[in-house]
């Protein structure tokens, strides 16, 4: 129900296609061979046959418990170093649809880098999450940011609890609440800390957190710091979530069997490595049925989905009151930094006192706050133009076009058809490096991701579509991807859905109790 009237939800289309068996076999074989050579090289380093460039224990600490010798360090030493040149590339311009990059080379197999002094100009940016194109070079529309910089300076030099609450913060919080159609909001200087420092203020010992298995590291850290009991449900799987909710209500806390003080469901709007969108109507139905609380992280979805960019609640046409705690960041669609918590006024008032970030972290910089205000007013149309709405619509067009073309070419891509985050599966570690290197030679910048950010055998490239991308730029990238897919044999798709995200009968869930 929306405004007292029944609402019909749009079809929910997501793809998680399985790789052919031979691809998975060769992927694990590649990691296996890399591991064997890693052990061989470690043996040679231990005997002084090969120089060791990695961090090692000092001679006088040989009898201590090893600080560096673990599997992830082994992985970094022997596998990551081979392809390290594909990450941490130095950019020297604004992250618009095109950017400039400093050229660097390595003379010791990626252990160290040196700069050549050459700048690679006009690289097509397919990796920055600049969804609405707000992160751009200075122009006259940013004049208010310049004026705030001149009036307030750069830093605040205090926390929100002390001398760090400015009128700009109050203005921004009122605007965020209006944008989300909720009672109140509070802003923070760092998006990651918005989750990790506020979840412990909401739940603690004796509470239960039900967390999606693919939640962001900031949600995971916040849940662990809270001291609450954490249980994981399968990604976007309502059967798995309902079973945990039912067991929590029936059995209560371990040993004592007392009822949980709170049950908090943690989900994201758009999952940043999968490109999938939360099944919000079904989760809200379960939340109401079992009297739990819902905390939604809209870092990637705010500004990027919904008819006017107001996130997944608007995307599904739902009532904003259905979600208890809204969280989002200003780093994606707003071209700035920081995050917010929004919802009922009593929730926000509670966090103003108890939030670790409000008590111990420096306040948001005034020019940063003004950039968010400027961007949000543009999206809302409060600047007197329709540019913001046009950007939201252009992002949706670009997203559908790019996804459709990749599907037609035969690539395996994950996620919802409306999601501007588009993972393209590469699988094999050798192809991850070759893919990124070849595209950079064609002046296309991409983000490639592997273990431990993804499952071991699901390395991928993550494309982030922007409203700033022109059709010509997208066609240039698609043409290069088509050639790269043939060169590296990346077109694995057989258009068969994966059994990994277990599907269920959505009609069995009602929105009302």
């Amino acid at each position: 129900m929306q405004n007292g009237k029944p609402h019909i939800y749009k079809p929910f289309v997501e793809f998680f296609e399985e790789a052919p068996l031979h691809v998975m076999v060769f992927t694990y074989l590649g990691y296996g061979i890399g591991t064997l050579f890693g052990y061989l090289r470690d043996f040679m380093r231990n005997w002084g046959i090969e120089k060791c460039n990695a961090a090692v224990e000092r001679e006088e600490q040989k009898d201590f418990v090893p600080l560096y010798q673990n599997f992830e360090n082994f992985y970094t030493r022997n596998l990551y170093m081979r392809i390290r040149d594909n990450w941490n590339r130095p950019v020297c311009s604004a992250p618009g649809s095109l950017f400039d990059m400093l050229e660097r080379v390595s003379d010791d197999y990626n252990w160290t880098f040196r700069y050549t002094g050459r700048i690679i100009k006009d690289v097509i940016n397919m990796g920055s999450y600049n969804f609405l194109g707000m992160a751009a070079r200075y122009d006259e529309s940013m004049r208010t940011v310049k004026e705030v910089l001149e009036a307030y300076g750069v830093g605040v030099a205090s926390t929100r609890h002390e001398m760090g609450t400015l009128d700009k913060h109050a203005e921004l919080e009122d605007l965020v609440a209006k944008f989300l159609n909720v009672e109140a909001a509070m802003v923070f200087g760092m998006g990651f800390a918005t989750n990790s420092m506020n979840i412990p203020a909401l739940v603690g010992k004796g509470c239960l957190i039900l967390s999606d298995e693919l939640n962001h590291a900031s949600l995971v850290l916040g849940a662990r710091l809270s001291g609450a009991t954490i249980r994981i449900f399968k990604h976007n799987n309502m059967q798995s979530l309902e079973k945990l909710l039912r067991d929590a209500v029936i059995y209560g806390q371990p040993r004592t069997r007392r009822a949980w003080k709170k049950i908090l469901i943690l989900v994201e709007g758009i999952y940043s490595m999968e490109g999938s969108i939360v099944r919000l109507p079904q989760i809200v139905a379960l939340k109401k049925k079992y009297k739990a609380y819902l905390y939604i992280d809209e870092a990637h979805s705010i500004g990027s989905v919904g008819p006017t960019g107001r996130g997944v609640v608007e995307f599904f046409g739902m009532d904003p009151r259905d979600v208890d705690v809204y969280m989002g960041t200003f780093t994606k669609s707003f071209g700035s930094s920081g995050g917010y918590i929004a919802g009922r006024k009593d929730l926000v008032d509670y966090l103003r006192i108890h939030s670790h970030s409000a008590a111990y972290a420096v306040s948001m910089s005034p020019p940063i706050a003004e950039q968010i205000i400027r961007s949000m007013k543009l999206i809302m149309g409060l600047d007197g133009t329709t540019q913001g709405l046009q950007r939201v619509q252009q992002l949706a067009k670009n997203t559908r076009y790019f996804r459709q073309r990749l599907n037609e070419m035969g690539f395996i891509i994950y996620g919802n058809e409306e999601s501007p985050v588009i993972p393209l599966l590469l699988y094999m570690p050798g192809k991850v490096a070759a893919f990124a290197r070849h595209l950079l030679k064609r002046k296309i910048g991409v983000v490639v991701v592997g273990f431990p950010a993804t499952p071991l055998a699901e390395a991928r490239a993550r494309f982030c579509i922007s409203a700033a991308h022109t059709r010509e730029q997208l066609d240039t990238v698609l043409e290069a991807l088509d050639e790269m897919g043939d060169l590296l044999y990346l077109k694995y798709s057989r258009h068969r859905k994966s059994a990994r995200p277990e599907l269920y009968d959505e009609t069995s869930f009602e929105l009302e109790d």
Side-chain angles (χ1 to χ4, degrees), residues 453-473:
T454 68
L456 186 66
E458 291 187 15
R460 64 197 67 177
R462 185 184 73 171
F463 298 101
C464 290
I465 305 302
S466 172
H469 285 134
T470 65
R471 182 59 62 90
E472 291 74 23
Q473 290 170 349

Side-chain angles (χ1 to χ4, degrees), residues 129 214-217 268-276 299-300 332 419 421-423 449 460 462-464:
Y129 29 68
L214 297 182
N215 273 342
H216 190 262
E268 294 186 48
I270 292 178
Y271 290 85
S272 58
M273 285 300 165
E274 308 297 310
S276 54
H300 285 83
K332 282 82 177 174
S419 169
V421 178
I422 306 177
V449 190
R460 64 197 67 177
R462 185 184 73 171
F463 298 101
C464 290

Side-chain angles (χ1 to χ4, degrees), residues 357-419:
S357 187
Y360 304 113
V362 71
S363 302
M364 180 183 288
S365 172
I368 293 294
E370 180 59 30
Q371 163 64 9
I372 302 165
I373 292 169
R374 184 189 74 86
S375 301
M376 195 167 288
K377 284 183 176 179
L378 184 72
I379 298 170
M380 297 170 72
L382 297 180
D383 64 334
T385 72
T386 60
Q387 289 186 29
L389 182 59
Q390 290 172 8
R391 293 189 188 216
V392 173
Q393 293 171 347
Q394 186 61 48
L395 174 62
K397 290 178 183 177
N398 287 350
T399 296
R400 286 192 290 267
Y401 176 72
F402 200 78
R403 278 187 173 273
Q404 180 183 350
R405 289 289 306 278
L406 289 178
N407 270 321
E408 291 170 353
M409 291 176 189
F411 293 103
I412 292 181
I413 60 173
Y414 277 1
N416 191 285
E417 64 178 1
E418 304 286 342
S419 169

Side-chain angles (χ1 to χ4, degrees), residues 173-194:
E173 289 170 349
D174 290 342
L175 190 63
V176 170
K178 182 178 180 181
F179 181 66
L180 297 175
N181 195 21
V182 295
E183 294 178 8
M186 184 176 182
V187 298
F188 304 90
M190 181 181 178
F192 189 98
T194 304

